[in-house]
Amino acid sequence: MKNKVISFIWQRKIFLASLIFLFLLGFFGFRFFAAKKQPKIQTTTVKRKDIGLVISASGEIKSEEEATLRFQTSGQLAWVGVKKGDKVKKWQAVASINIKELEKTLHQELLDYMNERWDYEQTNLDTYKDAALSETIRRAKEKAQFDLDRTVLDVEIADIALKYSTLVSPIDGIVTEITCPYPGTNVYFVSDKIVITSPEKLYFSASIDEIDIAKIKTGQQASLLLDAYPDEQISTSVHEVDFTATTTSGGGTAFNIKFLLPPNTENEKFKLGMNGDVEVFVEERKDVLSVPVTVVSEGEENGTYVWVLKDNTPVVKPVTTGISDDINIEIVNGLGEGELIITSGFKELEKLKEKKK
């Protein structure tokens, strides 16, 4: 009997122990899985900062003063006095075509002119001065006048071609392109050219999308970073905004903006065609409440909002925002300085918000 009592007590103890074990297992298991479902979040505080609205664009260096020289007629190239990269002075001769052929052409045009002049004078003999001119005679006189005028123009054109048989640079600059570098070859006035660019009149040209163009004004300060000098920030300003739009490679609409460059005196460090990026400082707000751009969300229900941590509980809080510098965004209304905002785990928080609905 005694053994049965002891056995019963042990069975009861084992049963109670099992119940306690299962209770503890369920309690801690629930705590474990509940904690696992809670999103891992990080926080920061609302701070006061200086925020500047910046518009960025890419572009290249161009020249404000550039001359494209072409011959007035085709012909054989007699001599070339420059090559690509050479510096030239204003009014310096750079190339010439063979003038012998041009002189022959002018002589031929003069002979044609003398012939037409003789025909014209024959048509206007004194015997017709006082006579009643018939329609045939009148037309003959007009044709003779037209032919004479044409030959005069031919002579003038040939004379101009002879005078401009030598190309002369109208500016100080550098030869940046030459399509006819070899004497003795034939040149064509339509396609062949010598391009001279002034290194003292360089500027940076960038295209601004039409969405942002209303914010750009002449005189605004900007910062330029050229690919050739990645560690050197160049201070510049908006010098000119094109009135006419251009079409981008993607089919969009943009406007070309001209930015001034410092004097190009240091071994001509700025060169035609250098690429770079420019940032225009459109607007600046000092000592304003701000949060990271990444924490601000938008939705149909709450509009613009952020997640804040209130009593250790994530809460949605609508806000009104201002300007942004792509890192921080101004908070105009909705948050106070030092308030704790959530900076991570937004997907999990959004899922929890949906479940509570």
Side-chain angles (χ1 to χ4, degrees):
M1 181 69 179
K2 186 177 180 180
N3 291 334
K4 288 183 178 180
V5 172
I6 292 173
S7 176
F8 174 75
I9 293 172
W10 273 107
Q11 288 179 357
R12 191 172 181 182
K13 286 181 178 181
I14 292 172
F15 177 73
L16 290 173
S18 299
L19 286 177
I20 294 171
F21 173 76
L22 290 173
F23 173 78
L24 292 174
L25 181 64
F27 176 76
F28 286 108
F30 174 79
R31 289 287 299 273
F32 172 78
F33 286 108
K36 193 173 182 180
K37 288 183 179 180
Q38 289 295 327
K40 294 180 180 180
I41 60 176
Q42 295 178 335
T43 60
T44 189
T45 56
V46 181
K47 300 175 182 177
R48 288 190 174 274
K49 291 184 178 180
D50 297 342
I51 298 180
L53 177 59
V54 175
I55 294 177
S56 302
S58 299
E60 64 176 329
I61 291 179
K62 296 182 178 180
S63 179
E64 197 171 33
E65 193 172 71
E66 185 176 87
T68 300
L69 310 181
R70 285 189 172 93
F71 291 106
Q72 300 299 306
T73 185
S74 301
Q76 187 184 55
L77 194 61
W79 69 274
V80 181
V82 294
K83 61 182 182 298
K84 188 174 180 180
D86 284 353
K87 292 183 179 181
V88 297
K89 294 292 185 180
K90 189 175 182 178
W91 309 130
Q92 177 181 333
V94 295
S96 177
I97 58 175
N98 193 331
I99 63 172
K100 289 183 179 180
E101 184 178 349
L102 296 177
E103 289 174 341
K104 290 180 179 179
T105 301
L106 177 59
H107 183 66
Q108 181 179 340
E109 296 297 345
L110 285 170
L111 291 176
D112 290 342
Y113 165 74
M114 295 301 294
N115 184 51
E116 288 296 336
R117 183 74 185 180
W118 186 84
D119 290 343
Y120 176 79
E121 290 175 353
Q122 288 295 314
T123 307
N124 288 273
L125 290 176
D126 292 341
T127 52
Y128 294 109
K129 279 185 177 180
D130 299 324
L133 298 178
S134 66
E135 183 67 18
T136 302
I137 296 175
R138 187 183 66 79
R139 289 182 178 178
K141 286 171 64 66
E142 289 180 353
K143 182 179 182 303
Q145 183 66 56
F146 293 153
D147 291 340
L148 181 62
D149 291 343
R150 180 182 58 78
T151 56
V152 170
L153 289 175
D154 290 340
V155 170
E156 290 177 348
I157 291 171
D159 183 53
I160 290 173
L162 182 61
K163 288 179 179 178
Y164 289 97
S165 60
T166 298
L167 295 182
V168 177
S169 173
I171 61 172
D172 293 335
I174 297 174
V175 178
T176 55
E177 184 179 357
I178 178 168
T179 61
C180 47
Y182 305 112
T185 59
N186 290 326
V187 292
Y188 301 94
F189 71 94
V190 175
S191 57
D192 287 317
K193 60 185 178 180
I194 297 177
V195 181
I196 298 173
T197 304
S198 171
E200 304 302 324
K201 301 289 183 70
L202 298 181
Y203 66 93
F204 187 80
S205 176
S207 295
I208 302 291
D209 193 273
E210 65 174 331
I211 297 175
D212 297 319
I213 196 62
K215 303 171 187 174
I216 303 295
K217 296 178 177 61
T218 56
Q220 287 174 333
Q221 296 302 304
S223 178
L224 172 63
L225 188 66
L226 295 173
D227 294 347
Y229 308 107
D231 299 323
E232 180 182 353
Q233 290 283 348
I234 302 170
S235 295
T236 180
S237 62
V238 177
H239 180 61
E240 186 179 306
V241 180
D242 273 5
F243 182 76
T244 306
T246 59
T247 303
T248 65
S249 57
T253 302
F255 291 82
N256 290 326
I257 311 297
K258 184 185 293 184
F259 298 89
L260 295 176
L261 288 175
N264 197 20
T265 55
E266 188 182 334
N267 298 322
E268 295 176 351
K269 65 183 295 183
F270 303 128
K271 300 186 185 301
L272 204 66
M274 280 185 172
N275 297 306
D277 299 298
V278 67
E279 291 184 340
V280 184
F281 305 120
V282 175
E283 187 178 358
E284 187 177 14
R285 303 277 177 84
K286 292 186 174 293
D287 196 34
V288 295
L289 294 177
S290 66
V291 297
V293 173
T294 54
V295 307
V296 179
S297 303
E298 289 189 8
E300 295 181 0
E301 182 180 352
N302 300 302
T304 304
Y305 65 93
V306 298
W307 285 92
V308 301
L309 201 60
K310 189 174 183 180
D311 298 329
N312 291 324
T313 303
V315 178
V316 169
K317 201 165 187 181
V319 295
T320 303
T321 58
I323 66 172
S324 165
D325 61 4
D326 295 332
I327 298 176
N328 298 300
I329 187 169
E330 178 189 8
I331 299 298
V332 178
N333 191 20
L335 293 175
E337 186 175 0
E339 197 164 349
L340 205 60
I341 57 173
I342 298 172
T343 60
S344 65
F346 298 118
K347 288 184 179 180
E348 291 80 3
L349 290 173
E350 294 291 342
K351 289 178 181 179
L352 289 176
K353 185 175 72 171
E354 290 296 324
K355 288 182 179 179
K356 292 179 180 180
K357 289 183 180 180

